[in-house]
Every structure is written in C-alpha cells, then in structure tokens.
C-alpha cells in the first residue's frame, strides 16, 4: 500500500481485519475498526464499506476511549454540549 491517509477509500485498506466492536441491535449500522500495522486505527461505516476510512493515531483512539469511559462523550447522546480542551 502506497500511502494511508484520512478519508481514503476503505476498500484500499483491504477486506481482512475489519471488526465490529460496537455492534448491537442496531439493524446492521455499525462502526467497523481495523488496527493498522503502524499502530494507527482505521474506522469505517459498515453500511458503506467502500466509503471513506477515518484514520486515527493510537494516542487519539486511546484518548477518545478513555474520555468516553469517563463520560466525556455523553453529550453525543444527551444533547448537551462540552468544550474541547
């Protein structure tokens, strides 16, 4: 693979290695994740597997997951707002 970049077609990353860690009873609309060889993480929408892949560093994913566990992403569900520091 020549270059991995944010917004690239998810199909350019291949079909193997994608998982649905957040799937549930949502009718098949899931976020799929793939750990890349250099430690970055790619995310794509399961209903659009040929669409764009969002590429995050290990630190970005780690920060998001820790923040979500601490309730810092609850505003996405509750309709309240928080500032990004």
């Amino acid at each position: 693979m020549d270059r991995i970049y944010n917004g690239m077609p998810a199909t350019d990353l291949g079909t193997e290695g994608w998982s649905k860690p957040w799937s549930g009873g949502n009718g098949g609309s899931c976020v799929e994740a793939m750990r890349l060889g250099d430690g970055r993480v790619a995310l794509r929408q399961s209903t659009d597997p040929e669409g764009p892949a969002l590429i995050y560093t290990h630190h970005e994913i780690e920060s998001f997951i820790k923040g979500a566990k601490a309730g810092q992403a609850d505003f996405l569900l509750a309709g309240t707002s928080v500032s990004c520091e």
Side-chain angles (χ1 to χ4, degrees), residues 1-28:
M1 184 169 322
D2 293 331
R3 183 173 163 253
I4 296 175
Y5 59 92
N6 200 28
M8 69 184 295
T11 51
D12 289 355
L13 294 169
T15 57
E16 299 297 317
W18 291 99
S19 64
K20 296 178 183 179
W22 303 284
S23 63
N26 57 11

Side-chain angles (χ1 to χ4, degrees), residues 12-83:
D12 289 355
L13 294 169
T15 57
E16 299 297 317
W18 291 99
S19 64
K20 296 178 183 179
W22 303 284
S23 63
N26 57 11
S29 180
C30 308
V31 173
E32 296 181 324
M34 173 192 280
R35 185 175 175 95
L36 303 174
D38 63 3
R40 291 183 292 172
V41 174
L43 300 178
R44 72 178 182 184
Q45 177 60 36
S46 66
T47 57
D48 187 16
E50 296 178 3
L54 299 177
I55 310 297
Y56 296 96
T57 66
H58 174 81
H59 176 72
E60 289 169 331
I61 288 293
E62 180 181 41
S63 295
F64 178 79
I65 292 171
K66 285 181 178 179
K69 286 181 177 182
Q72 295 173 354
D74 290 354
F75 74 95
L76 295 170
L77 302 175
T80 60
S81 63
V82 290
S83 61

